[in-house]
Amino acid sequence: DLNDRRRLPELLDWQHRECVHMIRTVLDCCAEEGDVRMAMQAGNMANTFFRVDLRGEAPPQRVYVQSELKDHPIWRRRKFWEDALLEGVGEHLGLTAPVQWDELNPDGLREAVLRVHNIVYAQLGTIAFTMKDVGMSRQQVLEFVAAVSKRSQLAEDQEHEIVRSVFTMFQPSEQTPA
């Protein structure tokens, strides 16, 4: 089972090629079936497994399976990201006690809305990071964040914090050449 293999994530070259092929096939099926949950799990697996590139510069670099899947069409579909966000928010809301919205007093309503906004905020931040990780441009990520923030009526400070995080994520590496 691939999930059991996660504790030993380093792959040989041939295993890496096979893993890329397998996860690409899973993503193809997910795109066809609209299976967001499985696609996100496949993406997480792709970020787990790597091979060590000994042919490049020293020190050897890890080449993650995900780097070979950035071109997959599923990552370019806005609806995929919207569905992934809804999936994550729904999953976290399912962990909280059900709310009878029409029975809440103003303070309880404010608290419940804040709880939902905090879940959306956390999930949107995670989705933004994942979008960057699969090769989406900064502009695409920012547009998605802005649209979701507006539609979800996130607090202005929450939207600004995610936007600031997106700009930080896309900063060039500050490593200096040796």
Side-chain angles (χ1 to χ4, degrees):
D1 179 45
L2 192 57
N3 204 33
D4 293 337
R5 178 81 168 76
R6 291 179 88 166
R7 57 190 165 75
L8 300 169
E10 187 174 342
L11 304 173
L12 299 173
D13 284 349
W14 70 269
Q15 291 171 317
H16 187 267
R17 283 190 303 276
E18 290 297 316
C19 192
V20 168
H21 176 72
M22 181 194 61
I23 292 178
R24 185 175 296 281
T25 302
V26 168
L27 291 174
D28 289 344
C29 292
C30 290
E32 195 172 301
E33 298 294 322
D35 191 341
V36 173
R37 179 181 296 251
M38 180 58 72
M40 293 300 282
Q41 288 175 346
N44 286 336
M45 289 288 190
N47 276 329
T48 300
F49 296 105
F50 64 90
R51 68 176 170 80
V52 176
D53 185 2
L54 300 172
R55 298 166 290 198
E57 301 175 20
Q61 299 293 310
R62 289 181 175 185
V63 179
Y64 284 87
V65 168
Q66 179 61 48
S67 68
E68 313 246 353
L69 297 168
K70 287 183 177 186
D71 65 338
H72 197 280
I74 199 167
W75 309 133
R76 305 294 172 254
R77 296 180 184 167
R78 185 178 182 108
K79 177 142 178 44
F80 170 79
W81 296 110
E82 291 169 349
D83 291 348
L85 179 70
L86 287 175
E87 179 92 23
V89 169
E91 189 174 304
H92 280 78
L93 284 175
L95 299 174
T96 63
V99 174
Q100 299 297 326
W101 292 93
D102 56 337
E103 296 177 12
L104 294 174
N105 64 34
D107 287 339
L109 184 60
R110 232 182 331 277
E111 186 178 309
V113 167
L114 180 61
R115 194 169 39 252
V116 170
H117 280 188
N118 286 338
I119 290 171
V120 171
Y121 166 75
Q123 290 299 305
L124 183 56
T126 299
I127 293 290
F129 178 81
T130 305
M131 291 174 81
K132 190 257 185 208
D133 210 34
V134 298
M136 303 293 286
S137 72
R138 180 176 67 185
Q139 188 61 35
Q140 290 169 313
V141 176
L142 288 171
E143 287 172 4
F144 184 77
V145 166
V148 169
S149 295
K150 182 177 181 178
R151 192 170 49 241
S152 303
Q153 299 179 349
L154 284 185
E156 197 172 296
D157 62 324
Q158 290 177 317
E159 180 181 1
H160 289 313
E161 186 60 37
I162 295 174
V163 167
R164 190 172 21 258
S165 294
V166 170
F167 274 97
T168 300
M169 284 188 284
F170 280 92
Q171 290 288 327
S173 175
E174 295 184 1
Q175 296 175 354
T176 53

